[in-house]
Amino acid sequence: MDTTVQNFAVANLRRRPVVIENPSFVAGFDPATTSPYVNYASPLPGAEPTRREVAHLVAAFRERGLRPRVEFALSTAPAVEPALRAAGFTTEEVHEYLVCTPATLTMPPPAARDSAFVPRARTPHTDEEFDAIDAALAEAFGSEFDASPEGGARLRRIQDAGGVIRFVPSPGGGCAGAASCSAPAAGTGELSGVGTRPAFRGRGVAAVVTAEVAAEMFARGARSVWLESSGDGPRRIYERLGFRPEGTRLYLSISD
């Protein structure tokens, strides 16, 4: 599965508005944001980077005022880690990723009819809905990024390009929580941006949007969907839906 996930990561970076490549790395950039979760690089499977290729990669980030950052499944390119560390990269994070397939997906049980709030997933269509999703995710993830018109536009581009986005409207308007998945590549898709506003946590929002996004991806022919999980609470939700641990991804960056 590591190779499938790595092939997806490379293909997904090539969808960015700006793409820089050399024989070992693909870096994707979106000039509308400085977010490190959007602007990063990943190696080609089997890459054995030279010092010149690493320097070229670092320069691509520095020219844009960004922190050099690389994400990848370690087993797919063992020579990459020592080459990057020799250039000053250090560990930012190590994430386990979980995978769901059509055979393992388990839809969450319906909420009780007498519940004051019943989460129901919807597909966004209007700019207002995309902006509401961006605002909800910004609140859900704390200080990781700020809501912006560019964020809403980016979500629309994901959906227009073949990705899947689902959100749960909040009772008073806006968005209670959402999830998104980029268009599939290499038979898989990354389910990311799963977030619930604090006021709606513990009510099944994350489970509903995650399951609905995965189900739609499978309906479109994806053989798997994967995500990274942090924290025991979210992981338990994903495991109940049929996600199973499959591998590890390493994040390396150069501190500013």
Side-chain angles (χ1 to χ4, degrees), residues 1-2 4-5 96-102 104-105 187-189 218 223-228 238-239 241-247:
M1 191 67 197
D2 276 359
T4 298
V5 167
E96 185 176 44
Y97 68 84
L98 289 73
V99 176
C100 182
T101 68
T104 64
L105 177 63
T188 193
F218 297 148
R223 296 187 295 275
S224 64
V225 171
W226 62 279
L227 55 75
E228 295 178 353
Y238 301 138
E239 289 181 335
L241 297 175
F243 285 81
R244 302 290 181 262
E246 286 282 352

Side-chain angles (χ1 to χ4, degrees), residues 30-119:
D30 185 341
T33 179
T34 59
S35 170
Y37 304 106
V38 176
N39 301 291
Y40 62 92
S42 202
L44 297 169
E48 297 182 351
T50 64
R51 284 185 292 180
R52 183 173 182 177
E53 289 166 355
V54 173
H56 173 263
L57 176 71
V58 171
F61 283 86
R62 296 301 192 197
E63 289 167 3
R64 292 164 175 80
L66 300 170
R67 183 173 79 249
R69 188 169 180 274
V70 179
E71 303 180 6
F72 67 109
L74 186 58
S75 70
T76 63
V80 168
E81 182 182 6
L84 293 179
R85 292 194 185 281
F89 282 78
T90 59
T91 300
E92 182 180 291
E93 295 179 274
V94 179
H95 283 174
E96 185 176 44
Y97 68 84
L98 289 73
V99 176
C100 182
T101 68
T104 64
L105 177 63
T106 302
M107 301 301 286
R113 290 187 176 182
D114 59 353
S115 174
F117 172 69
V118 178

Side-chain angles (χ1 to χ4, degrees), residues 100-102 105-108 164 166 191 208-222 225 243:
C100 182
T101 68
L105 177 63
T106 302
M107 301 301 286
V164 177
R166 294 292 185 269
L191 203 157
V208 166
V209 293
T210 299
E212 290 289 345
V213 168
E216 179 61 23
M217 289 291 288
F218 297 148
R220 297 184 185 186
V225 171
F243 285 81

